[in-house]
Amino acid sequence: MRASSSSSSFFFFFDSVSSSSLVSCALVMALSSSKFLKSYGYDLLLGSIAAFYVFTVPYTKVEESFNVQATHDILYHRHHIDKYDHLEFPGVVPRTFLGALLVSTVASPVILIINLMHFPKLYALFAVRMALGCIVLSTLRLFRLQVRDKFGQQVEAFFVILTTLQFHLLFYCSRPLPNIFALGVVNLAYAFWLKGKFYSALNCLIFATVVFRCDILLLICPLGLELLLTKSITIWGTLKHCIWFALVCIGLTILIDSIFWRRLLWPEFEVFWFNSVLNRSSEWGTHPFHWYFTSALPRSLLAAYPLFLFGVFLDRRVPLFIIPVFSFVLVYSKLPHKELRFIISSVPIFNLSAAIAANRIYNNRGKSYWKLLYFMMLGLLLVSLGCTAITFMASYENYPSGHALRNLHQIGHLANHTKEKWVHIDTFSAMNGISRFCENDFPWRYSKEEGIPLGELVQRNFTYLITEHPAVNGFKCLFTIDGFSKVRFQPGFPPISMIREPKVYAHGNESNKDDINRNWPGCFS
């Protein structure tokens, strides 16, 4: 009886301990999860949106071509520089390899697994873009933490909300543009600026200017002048801290890039000479002086555009951060060739001002005047969400040749595998979605030779063509890929429709009956 009682007591004690342990473990896990979300929840939110853009719109355009091809060549050709794409297609001006080296290093463990598993090379493009996105968003995190320390958690929350509802910053943060590499470094400069480490901020901007984008000089000048006028720095201190760093940066880019380009070279100096001294950038189109303020900033900031202007008047600390960045955009407006990506590094500071305004409106929403502003702000946020959705749908349709090559691989691989299949990619297609990451191994071979007359293509014995031309002598049109054309407003719901039209055509050589007689979709244009 006592033994039975002891036994039952033991099991009761054991069950109690086990239950307590499970509850304790659950509490510890919940607390750990809570702490993790508190520390990295915003990063997960921003990162998940950026990742969504990567996986839904993986292809790249001509502006990204140098860095995406350079990253591919570093990963796959390594020290065999004679096989690198830039030696055959150098572009208008040379660019640095330092950004591509950084991204390749970060992505290389994932690329190794992809190669071992024999996954398509397109998976490597996902990995490369995700690596770049992580780098840029990690520097944005450092800036955001300084926003929290200086302005409070609510301002940080609104900063994240505004960034989330904008399209361009998170869409572009994983795209291998020189402007995006510079953005990562500029984010660091902003973080040091808010923290009061002014010489470190200037050094970050110097690095971005010397290595990635010479136009960041237009941001260094007004910021440096403001820091001098507010006695945050001195001329002697600037010379002591920054001159040697600038020389090291110049030496680094000359050393690395001269090896890859096989000549003595400082890439950004040549870019500066081409764009600013010779003013050749205007050959790629011009916009009026006000374009950044009436088109680029409203599209990139959305709800944050009126809010950032309002924020300047609500907090006396804000103008000190806005004036240098606003001056950067203002001076940049004098250059006739304009693109939104040129001023994307201004977005985080404008978002900071907008977040301060949004926080003030939210905190005073109970008052009559502020209540109206609060409802207007909610309306602006909804409009931002709608604009971002529309812009995403347009961007999804904006890389037609990448989709064309993928479809060609999917259907064309069913044919004879022992015979090489040569695909000629014309200039338009190479600029609108195709990179070396889109290529497959044997039996596929690719040509991007420029300047071949349409009548001579059939004489080159290409198996397939991916081209902007709907008809080519000696070839049969196999399928077309539609691309974004324009947005049309219409009565009813939805009030907006996306107009698509044929952009890229895939043709098969008529002499290869086995290939062109397969189950192709056909052309309907």
Side-chain angles (χ1 to χ4, degrees), residues 263-291:
R263 63 185 177 92
L264 190 63
L265 176 69
W266 176 9
E268 277 310 298
F269 180 78
E270 292 200 11
V271 173
F272 170 77
W273 190 265
F274 182 89
N275 288 337
S276 300
V277 178
L278 301 180
N279 197 24
R280 295 278 305 278
S281 62
S282 58
E283 296 173 9
W284 278 261
T286 61
H287 288 97
F289 179 86
H290 58 79
W291 186 81

Side-chain angles (χ1 to χ4, degrees), residues 399-409 466 479 481 504-506:
Y399 300 82
S401 52
H403 297 286
L405 187 57
R406 182 196 61 191
N407 292 352
L408 184 65
H409 288 152
I466 294 182
F479 62 87
I481 296 294
V504 173
Y505 301 82

Side-chain angles (χ1 to χ4, degrees), residues 200-246:
S200 297
L202 290 176
N203 280 337
C204 287
L205 295 178
I206 287 170
F207 181 83
T209 301
V210 168
V211 175
F212 294 124
R213 287 293 303 190
C214 59
D215 48 26
I216 300 297
L217 180 65
L218 301 178
L219 180 57
I220 294 178
C221 293
L223 176 58
L225 181 61
E226 179 187 275
L227 294 176
L228 283 171
L229 293 176
T230 57
K231 299 183 179 179
S232 300
I233 60 173
T234 63
I235 294 177
W236 170 245
T238 304
L239 294 174
K240 185 172 66 174
H241 288 89
C242 299
I243 292 297
W244 68 269
F245 186 79

Side-chain angles (χ1 to χ4, degrees), residues 14 63 67 93 127 138 148 172 186 221 328 446 462 484 510:
F14 179 78
E63 297 88 353
N67 279 306
V93 290
S138 65
R148 182 181 66 190
Y172 275 107
V186 172
C221 293
F328 162 68
Y446 305 89
F462 292 120
F484 172 74
E510 291 180 345

Side-chain angles (χ1 to χ4, degrees), residues 4 64 93 139 154 177 224 230 242 261 296 343 349 351 385 390 397 406 415 499:
S4 175
E64 307 155 68
V93 290
T139 62
Q154 281 193 186
L177 294 157
T230 57
C242 299
W261 284 96
I343 60 165
I349 289 293
N351 279 348
L385 180 61
I390 293 169
E397 305 285 355
R406 182 196 61 191
I499 306 300

